[in-house]
Amino acid sequence: MTLLDSKTWSGSLFSGGWIPAAVTAPVTEPATGDALGRIGLAGAPELATAAQRAAAAQPAWARTSFEERAAVLRRAGLAFEQHAAEIQEWITRESGSIRGKAAFETHVAAQECYEAATLASRPLGEILPTAKQRLSLARRVPAGVVGVIAPFNAPLILAIRSVAPALALGNAVLLKPDPRTAVCGGVSIARVFEEAGLPDGLLHVLPGGAETGAALIEHPLVRVISFTGSTATGRRVGEAAARSLKRVHLELGGNSAQIVLGDADLDKAVSAGAWGSFFHQGQICMTAGRHLVHASLFEEYVARLADKASKLPVGNPFTEDVALGPIIDAAQRDKIHALVSADADRVVTGGTYEGLFYRPTVLAGLSSGSPVYAEEVFGPVAPVLSFSSLDEAAALASASPYGLSLSILTADAMRGLELAERIPTGIVHINDQTVDDEAVAPFGGVGASGTGSRFGGASANIEAFTETRWITLQGQIETYPF
């Protein structure tokens, strides 16, 4: 039997083992519309049962030695590597990813597990000064039950980056993957941790819609919410979590700027810009949604970017060697097209689609108030504006509620770094495009892009998935005046 054999998960949920689900939904391949199977869906009752099981299992896991927790995470990383080809096939078919992107996801998933394994043995406290004759220390302890809500666009990475460190630090996890990518973003994780020997009850995979997400956020046994998704939904998640006095970590949308200074290598800048805007059909939070190009290069940059876009092959990534696959569904495609159509007279190339296959699109001559420039499109769309000075570039890049990723392309790296210091953002890449991720690096945005770096890197993960406890210890009971 293969790791993702449908006999294991068809019509089921992973919650204390594989259990039949009362409600199921089709697993659909966006490139063809074909049904690939049926996945179990969780509602509020299933969520409540899972939360109780997780809360019951978590204390013993927290007491488990760090060597044992680390070993489970290392075995999970190895399982992602051993089953990479099979998982990649599902990522390609279920999410519309090209094969290179699917390979990147399994690579990062394995690395997330290996990095998480090191968290189990990290120092989790410090000795504090105290005015009394006693030992005073601050100790990091597991938060308890962690809720993870992950989206469709990079379904494996955006789930495992929270699941792995939360488990390594002694928590139990309830994962709600997007039902559109529930196999590659949920079933694969459940099966990997089954194979890795994770004790029962610590991981529950509960695909579902808004009702399931609301139940997860509101359940009193869930103490931390880790959410990746749109800014609009993230605001509602934050509000709901605040009513329950829960900590919530939000990695939200973006409209990242790529700034091309006048001394940049034009061929390389165009290549970076095309990758930054069109990779995975632009369905990435870090996508280059705004190209800001020095006036001296503007006309040539637009022409070369449009020429490159017009030649990129679009099609079914499972059966063809293409650069772009399908948009995830018709609703998302229609949102993209509505934004592009509002400025149809500014389209240099693209702006058309067949089925769910949207052509890479370049627009020029826009105003900074155009919705296709100012909003997160989440599609293969590259609006290009010009600037004449560093002050203007900084002002244009900063004039957005989003602050996730920033790219600056220049022959003078130090000047690029100085410019970056003037622009609020969580991630900066000098002489690289906006889309990048590594398990060892802190990840997150500011403003409408989220609540900062609460994903990736040891410090961010320990902060995200543990609580600080103050402990004092003295040899005798303190004497008081009454």
Side-chain angles (χ1 to χ4, degrees):
M1 182 183 294
T2 61
L3 184 80
L4 299 180
D5 191 310
S6 62
K7 293 178 182 178
T8 302
W9 54 264
S10 181
S12 299
L13 297 169
F14 186 71
S15 186
W18 293 99
I19 60 174
V23 179
T24 65
V27 178
T28 303
E29 183 177 30
T32 63
D34 293 344
L36 304 176
R38 294 195 70 85
I39 190 72
L41 297 181
E46 291 83 4
L47 188 286
T49 300
Q52 292 166 358
R53 289 174 175 167
Q58 186 271 327
W61 177 242
R63 292 192 298 270
T64 299
S65 71
F66 70 85
E67 293 101 333
E68 186 172 343
R69 282 186 275 124
V72 170
L73 270 297
R74 287 194 296 270
R75 291 194 295 268
L78 182 61
F80 275 121
E81 292 180 334
Q82 292 174 333
H83 299 286
E86 183 184 357
I87 298 170
Q88 288 165 23
E89 181 174 311
W90 274 97
I91 294 172
T92 298
R93 300 193 71 181
E94 194 180 19
S95 76
S97 299
I98 62 173
R99 293 184 182 275
K101 188 256 191 184
F104 180 70
E105 286 213 49
T106 55
H107 168 74
V108 171
Q111 294 307 309
E112 290 285 359
C113 291
Y114 293 140
E115 287 298 319
T118 71
L119 295 175
S121 58
R122 294 266 179 169
L124 294 175
E126 59 180 335
I127 303 297
L128 304 176
T130 176
K132 297 183 178 181
Q133 295 299 311
R134 62 183 180 183
L135 177 65
S136 178
L137 62 142
R139 181 187 178 193
R140 286 284 187 174
V141 297
V145 179
V146 172
V148 178
I149 302 175
F152 72 85
N153 55 318
L156 182 55
I157 291 176
L158 300 183
I160 196 64
R161 70 176 182 181
S162 293
V163 171
L167 289 172
L169 289 165
N171 301 284
V173 175
L174 307 185
L175 167 62
K176 191 197 86 65
D178 191 305
R180 292 171 290 185
T181 49
V183 178
C184 59
V187 172
S188 67
I189 294 172
R191 291 289 293 117
V192 158
F193 277 100
E194 270 194 306
E195 196 165 283
L198 182 72
D200 288 344
L202 293 172
L203 174 63
H204 302 256
V205 178
L206 307 165
E211 176 195 359
T212 308
L216 176 60
I217 296 162
E218 295 167 3
H219 199 284
L221 292 176
V222 179
R223 296 312 309 157
V224 174
I225 299 294
S226 179
F227 172 84
T228 303
S230 72
T231 297
T233 302
R235 293 186 194 279
R236 294 194 292 271
V237 170
E239 291 169 0
R243 286 195 293 271
S244 301
L245 301 180
K246 297 181 183 181
R247 283 194 296 143
V248 59
H249 311 306
L250 304 174
E251 199 269 284
L252 308 178
N255 190 8
S256 298
Q258 176 172 295
I259 302 176
V260 182
L261 299 187
D263 60 359
D265 181 305
L266 193 55
D267 284 336
K268 291 182 178 180
V270 168
S271 176
W275 184 267
S277 284
F278 305 141
F279 178 64
H280 194 44
Q281 301 79 263
Q283 297 175 124
I284 296 177
C285 57
M286 297 171 283
T287 289
R290 297 176 293 152
H291 295 237
L292 306 177
V293 181
H294 191 269
S296 64
L297 301 178
F298 178 77
E299 297 294 341
E300 187 67 17
Y301 182 91
V302 170
R304 294 194 193 187
L305 183 62
D307 180 65
K308 187 176 289 291
S310 69
K311 295 174 181 175
L312 291 174
V314 179
N316 184 345
F318 186 62
T319 59
E320 305 173 64
D321 185 12
V322 296
L324 286 81
I327 302 300
I328 190 66
D329 59 24
Q332 180 60 26
R333 177 206 62 200
D334 293 345
K335 176 197 169 188
I336 296 165
H337 195 58
L339 288 167
V340 172
S341 297
D343 280 290
D345 58 329
R346 304 298 184 182
V347 173
V348 182
T349 190
T352 61
Y353 63 86
E354 293 182 15
L356 296 181
F357 300 101
Y358 205 94
R359 289 296 313 171
T361 300
V362 177
L363 303 95
L366 296 160
S367 73
S368 59
S370 296
V372 75
Y373 167 86
E375 298 179 15
E376 182 183 37
V377 178
F378 224 63
V381 179
V384 190
L385 271 70
S386 69
F387 66 87
S388 298
S389 67
L390 291 182
D391 287 343
E392 186 180 6
L396 284 169
S398 301
S400 172
Y402 298 102
L404 183 54
S405 188
L406 172 67
S407 161
I408 299 176
L409 308 180
T410 176
D412 185 344
M414 291 308 299
R415 184 168 67 144
L417 187 59
E418 290 171 4
L419 176 59
E421 294 295 321
R422 302 167 61 182
I423 301 167
T425 185
I427 301 165
V428 175
H429 298 301
I430 308 296
N431 286 326
D432 200 357
Q433 45 78 41
T434 56
V435 181
D436 200 3
D437 193 11
E438 291 189 43
V440 298
F443 189 100
V446 298
S449 291
T451 52
S453 296
R454 296 293 183 270
F455 303 85
S459 297
N461 282 321
I462 291 170
E463 171 69 24
F465 300 118
T466 64
E467 302 284 1
T468 301
R469 176 177 293 172
W470 181 37
I471 301 172
T472 68
L473 176 66
Q474 51 196 59
Q476 299 180 359
I477 299 174
E478 185 77 15
T479 301
Y480 290 93
F482 59 88

